[in-house]
Amino acid sequence: MKLLHTSDWHVGKTLKGRSRLDEQKAVLAEIVELAVEHEVDAVLVAGDVYENASPTAEAQKLVITTLLRLARAGIEVVAIAGNHDHGPTFEAYRPLMRQAGIRLIGSPRSAEQGGVLRFRARSTGEEAVLATLPFLSQRYAVRAAEVITQTPAQNVGAYDQMIRDVLANLTAGFTDQTVNLAMAHLTVLGGRLGGGEREAQSIMEYSVPAAIFPIDAHYVALGHLHRRQSVPAAAPVHYSGAPLAVDFGEQDNTNVVCLIEVAPDTPARVTDLPIRSGRRLRTVTGTVEQLVADPTAYGEDFLRVRVTQAAYAGMREHLLEALPNALEIRLDPQFSVSPHTDAARRTPAAARTPAELFADYCASAAVDDPRLNRLFDELHDDLTSGRA
């Protein structure tokens, strides 16, 4: 059978106040096209479908439309909630979406209560067993472990042991006659952050060893880390990564979805399918003259600009006029503090003229613009001469 693994869509995410809904729409349309082109039997969406727990109507419409397009193409569609999603809302829509051929899992469930899904591949008739584990915060991990494993909370160990216990219940039905799959939204030790994750829910106590996944799993589809990667383990454990860079920290990541071809008696073969939609994020560095020399070279890329010279009045406006896709403009740290600032602070303010005080202020703000000094002198003359 053929499967498509994707995650971390973050629909509704803005970047420095700039909406990216059009890009997200193009990326999701490309994912649908790839799923149809490769005639996959199922699409697995491993969490963080939305950017936040209260997505806008436009974001919800885009996600629902995408999932429906996949289902109408005869594809089995399964999506779990990530740490950015609102699990209870997934659960509320679960019965309705099931009628449309879409399976949403918002909260951890035992195998008997729907945490394990079974479906047959339309292409081969092979049966798949899919263990699903949405994101579990530490706050709810104990409760989930109690509900699913019947283990008293006082006997449950650390977070990774709770996850291990839950997965043991969910994967107990794996057999050598089925394609055994697991899908979860979590951080596995050895995985590398992609650059845009919430670190508080990605590190330390939220990390679990890859050994928690059983050796008889044909494929483990993970979400949460935005970098495409596989994690060494007894079973094939893969992060598909985000299909669109969500922040400049991810500008060098490779955006893909994973095509998996597998059978009960055949190891999974994984192929990365590039996602080409969406605008590139790029960091550019130089003096103002260098940065604006050839604006067309940046194309439609969104830019993070680092300026390697002292600031001057109107510099930001100058750059934005020449580079309308610049979303962030900052001085390189070596130009952000004047070497004269500390010396000036050691001289009592009363011993310096107003012009010197203003010059000190400009130096502390890393602004070097003689025009400002001249304007200050004119204003000071007008005020002290009584002409103002």
Side-chain angles (χ1 to χ4, degrees):
M1 67 174 64
K2 290 183 181 180
L3 313 166
L4 197 69
H5 167 206
T6 180
S7 71
D8 297 280
W9 292 353
H10 289 274
V11 176
K13 167 76 174 178
T14 61
L15 183 58
K16 310 298 181 184
R18 188 77 64 98
S19 172
R20 305 188 73 192
L21 202 62
D22 286 344
E23 291 179 87
Q24 292 155 1
K25 182 177 181 180
V27 166
L28 296 191
E30 187 174 356
I31 291 174
V32 172
E33 291 171 3
L34 288 171
V36 172
E37 176 187 345
H38 290 274
E39 300 180 328
V40 302
D41 299 293
V43 170
L44 309 181
V45 187
D48 280 357
V49 176
Y50 295 107
E51 167 58 16
N52 56 58
S54 301
T56 64
E58 291 82 1
Q60 293 183 68
K61 180 180 179 181
L62 175 53
V63 167
I64 291 172
T65 300
T66 300
L67 298 179
L68 285 173
R69 287 183 63 195
L70 290 167
R72 287 169 181 164
I75 298 169
E76 189 76 34
V77 182
V78 185
I80 61 174
N83 58 303
H84 282 249
D85 300 314
H86 190 243
T89 299
F90 274 45
E91 289 295 315
Y93 280 103
R94 179 184 172 102
L96 178 61
M97 298 297 276
R98 186 68 190 99
Q99 293 298 312
I102 299 164
R103 307 202 203 194
L104 296 183
I105 310 293
S107 303
R109 295 166 170 265
S110 67
E112 299 76 18
Q113 295 176 327
V116 174
L117 307 178
R118 293 176 178 267
F119 59 88
R120 288 197 175 274
R122 59 178 178 172
S123 60
T124 64
E126 297 161 333
E127 184 180 19
V129 179
L130 173 61
T132 63
L133 182 59
F135 178 77
L136 257 181
S137 68
Q138 281 198 317
R139 178 181 176 185
Y140 292 104
V142 171
R143 178 166 35 173
E146 286 184 319
V147 169
I148 294 176
T149 70
Q150 310 297 310
T151 304
Q154 61 267 28
N155 296 330
V156 178
Y159 180 82
D160 68 322
Q161 184 60 52
M162 299 178 201
I163 299 296
R164 189 188 303 269
D165 293 341
V166 169
L167 281 172
N169 170 271
L170 295 174
T171 59
F174 285 179
T175 74
D176 58 5
Q177 302 299 313
T178 54
V179 173
N180 304 320
L181 308 168
M183 177 164 61
H185 192 89
L186 44 71
T187 303
V188 171
L189 288 168
R192 295 180 297 156
L193 295 177
E197 304 89 348
R198 290 177 181 168
E199 290 195 16
Q201 294 173 328
S202 306
I203 57 175
M204 302 303 289
E205 63 269 21
Y206 277 102
S207 298
V208 299
I212 65 175
F213 299 106
I215 193 172
D216 54 351
H218 286 89
Y219 185 83
V220 178
L222 296 183
H224 191 41
L225 301 188
H226 294 179
R227 186 189 301 273
R228 169 69 183 107
Q229 59 194 298
S230 60
V231 182
V237 177
H238 290 262
Y239 285 98
S240 65
L244 176 68
V246 303
D247 206 343
F248 284 101
E250 302 181 11
Q251 65 180 24
D252 296 323
N253 290 354
T254 301
N255 304 122
V256 305
V257 292
C258 300
L259 176 67
I260 304 99
E261 299 174 87
V262 62
D265 58 352
T266 305
R269 183 174 68 181
V270 183
T271 304
D272 290 351
L273 304 179
I275 297 297
R276 308 187 189 282
S277 301
R279 297 166 79 163
R280 180 186 171 193
L281 306 184
R282 189 196 301 196
T283 299
V284 293
T285 304
T287 64
V288 173
E289 182 179 2
Q290 292 169 336
L291 291 166
V292 304
D294 184 14
T296 60
Y298 306 127
E300 293 298 312
D301 296 353
F302 282 134
L303 305 177
R304 177 170 61 178
V305 178
R306 295 290 180 265
V307 185
T308 56
Q309 69 174 68
Y312 59 84
M315 182 182 76
R316 179 179 178 82
E317 290 73 16
H318 180 194
L319 285 167
L320 286 175
E321 182 178 0
L323 309 174
N325 290 330
L327 303 187
E328 179 182 303
I329 299 173
R330 291 187 182 179
L331 287 179
D332 186 276
Q334 64 177 315
F335 295 96
S336 61
V337 178
S338 168
H340 306 295
T341 301
D342 290 339
R345 286 174 179 167
R346 289 194 293 269
T347 304
R352 301 198 299 277
T353 67
E356 290 172 334
L357 289 170
F358 183 70
D360 291 344
Y361 167 76
C362 290
S364 68
V367 174
D368 182 14
D369 189 345
R371 296 174 302 166
L372 276 182
N373 299 89
R374 289 196 297 271
L375 287 172
F376 177 86
D377 291 340
E378 291 177 13
L379 178 61
H380 182 259
D381 287 345
D382 287 343
L383 288 172
T384 56
S385 67
R387 293 195 300 270

